[in-house]
Amino acid sequence: MSERLQPGDPAPDFTLPDADGEEISLSAHRGRKVIVYFYPAALTPGCTKQACDFTDNLDLLAREGYDVIGVSPDKPEKLAKFREKEELRVTLVSDPSKAVMEEYGAFGEKKLYGKTVTGVIRSTIVVDEEGKVERALYNVKATGHVAKIIRDLGLSETA
């Protein structure tokens, strides 16, 4: 199992294809804060709720200087279906090898219905403008997580 990131660690750079097959790099976002969230599978109830919550709050996050990138092991074609079906506006990228997830500590052993399994650990990493980890949250809940991040970051939910 990979090490979990800690505040102050450099966020591992990555370049992954998005839903349209375009290459997205974390380093291209330098100068802005980035919320990188890892989720198990597109088009599933919890992941849909989480992606919709990020989309619903995207304007607020962008106004406060945050970009949002969702990472899953799904292929770009599935991400495109997910984006269209749910009208998502967050950037979704594909990590089928799970290499980036492992670098971020978002893939490994976890409890699922009382059993220990290996899989994607629902995680959110907040990266600052310099590319350093500001916050690293692991085993987060799909529901209510985005509202909690907004509160924890001290962002105003009103325009």
Side-chain angles (χ1 to χ4, degrees):
M1 183 165 138
S2 45
E3 291 289 311
R4 291 187 170 183
L5 296 176
Q6 301 296 322
D9 287 350
D13 193 21
F14 59 80
T15 300
L16 293 170
D18 70 4
D20 299 314
E22 302 290 323
E23 297 286 311
I24 301 295
S25 295
L26 180 62
S27 58
H29 293 263
R30 279 284 146 68
R32 287 185 60 81
K33 294 183 178 194
V34 185
I35 296 171
V36 182
Y37 79 97
F38 298 90
Y39 63 100
L43 299 167
T44 58
C47 297
T48 297
K49 174 74 176 125
Q50 189 177 22
C52 289
D53 283 353
F54 271 118
T55 291
D56 292 347
N57 288 285
L58 199 58
D59 291 339
L60 163 68
L61 292 165
R63 203 169 43 248
E64 296 287 344
Y66 291 88
D67 295 332
V68 178
I69 301 173
V71 183
S72 79
D74 298 304
K75 299 235 180 304
E77 303 77 37
K78 187 173 179 187
L79 297 177
K81 277 186 200 147
F82 187 33
R83 181 185 61 200
E84 264 90 71
K85 181 176 188 280
E86 302 300 336
E87 299 178 8
L88 301 174
R89 294 186 299 130
V90 295
T91 300
L92 301 173
V93 298
S94 171
D95 182 20
S97 73
K98 303 173 191 80
V100 172
M101 292 180 181
E102 287 180 5
E103 281 189 277
Y104 275 78
F107 187 83
E109 284 189 358
K110 63 180 186 174
K111 292 272 190 220
L112 190 64
Y113 305 112
K115 290 190 171 25
T116 300
V117 298
T118 300
V120 177
I121 299 164
R122 192 180 300 275
S123 309
T124 301
I125 311 299
V126 180
V127 180
D128 70 14
E129 299 92 339
E130 321 284 296
K132 296 248 188 271
V133 174
E134 187 176 303
R135 292 170 191 262
L137 309 163
Y138 292 94
N139 295 308
V140 301
K141 300 266 182 257
T143 306
H145 178 60
V146 175
K148 181 181 181 334
I149 290 173
I150 290 169
R151 279 193 312 274
D152 289 353
L153 293 173
L155 307 180
S156 169
E157 293 190 51
T158 56

